[in-house]
Amino acid sequence: QARRWRRFARALPVAEQRQAVDFKAAREDFPILREEQRPGVPIVYLDNAATSQKPLQVLAELNRFYRSDNSNVHRGMHTLSIRATEAFEGARAKIAKFVNAADPHEIIFTRNASEAINLVAFTWARANLREGDEILLSVMEHHSNLVPWQMVAKDIGATLRFLGLTPEGMLDVSKLDELLTERTRLVAISQVSNVLGCVNPIQDIARRAHSLGAKLLVDACQSVPHMRVDVQQLGADWLVASGHKMCGPTGVGFLWGRAELLRAMPPFLGGGEMIDEVHLDHFTTADIPHKFEAGTPAFAEAAALGAACDYLSGLGMDNIQAREHELTEYLWRRLSEIPGITMYGPTPAQCPDRAALCSFNIEGCHPNDLATLVDQEHGIAMRAGHHCTQPLHRELGITFSARLSAYFYNTVEEIDTAVAAIKDTAELLKGFA
């Protein structure tokens, strides 16, 4: 029966990309963008690096699944179970197509990207790393791509090493050859920083890491939703992403890995679904992907994530990236007009493909106060804090920062509203200082 679902998944098509997109019309797919903070004050949602909003097409698929197909997957011969399994495995195929995986078998469903990284850390790393081995990270990593490696390194006796930043706030790859040694077994790095917005040269890092026999894991949470990502071209060994940042539901993400690596890795969790045979004194594992999917999966959420892939593919990832490039330049220019502002990361001129986010501080204003007041008074949804990157903030010499982050459905008018609100609020806060 499992072979049947894999054949079905390989045959399932994904929506074709269009050449031209009306992004103003696309906003109508997101009913939450019409919400108000209070009567007459619309919410301006610029917190997309934390989570994206969900289009009607994704909400409809989640509702359709529960209304029409709900049943546990893989373990039933009845109609509903078959339909649920087809939706679940169909979503796997859509994700594989979305990131150009060689086969749907290479896509492992997880709760989120954090779990996907932990999966690699607690299987491959613990089975292959030894005392004295080195793991190369960067100072800009999200805690999810740092803490699991700290845990592994502490238990095994491995050493963590870190790439730093250039003065412009980009990854300092000039130190890569110095930090990559014959002791390096793994490089784990983000493709796009959730604070600095810079895009890291993954293909070059992959080539240089592999030349020394090291493996590469890529945190693609801030890239997969915003640009075309081709896992075969990147040259990585594993890549992780979260569904909720790419117009999908919460509670589901995925790990992509090279099939030969996944098959060689020990299982992560034990239980139903991940087994082939179970005896009283031993068990054998199922083949990938089910080997790493113990227990009942988030099958409804997976189906909705497949719908999100359809939606984004329909808009076209190149179109989305081009749209966000326009928003990035405008956001950076407008924010730079605010007196006393310090912005982190490279300018659009220094990194033309940088993400549509900007982290900043304003002299005399605590980011938490700023974020609270612009929401309460102006309906601006923005983020304040360390953005799960405390070491990076220490590297920058700060404790917290504010962050605006746009997605394709945002507009220049919303950026104007947000900047005006931030400017007025900053003046107010400075008056109380």
Side-chain angles (χ1 to χ4, degrees), residues 1 194 313 388:
Q1 187 183 20
N194 72 319
S313 295
C388 295

Side-chain angles (χ1 to χ4, degrees), residues 135-175:
I135 301 170
L136 179 59
L137 310 170
S138 83
V139 296
M140 67 177 68
E141 297 310 309
H142 190 283
H143 296 162
S144 292
N145 199 30
L146 173 59
V147 174
W149 308 119
Q150 291 176 335
M151 296 167 70
V152 168
K154 180 180 179 181
D155 290 346
I156 292 175
T159 300
L160 302 182
R161 306 190 77 185
F162 296 91
L163 287 163
L165 306 177
T166 67
E168 296 79 17
M170 300 173 71
L171 188 69
D172 188 0
V173 293
S174 69
K175 305 289 186 178

Side-chain angles (χ1 to χ4, degrees), residues 402-413:
R403 185 183 68 193
L404 293 175
S405 52
Y407 207 5
F408 61 84
Y409 44 63
N410 289 119
T411 66
V412 294
E413 291 80 11

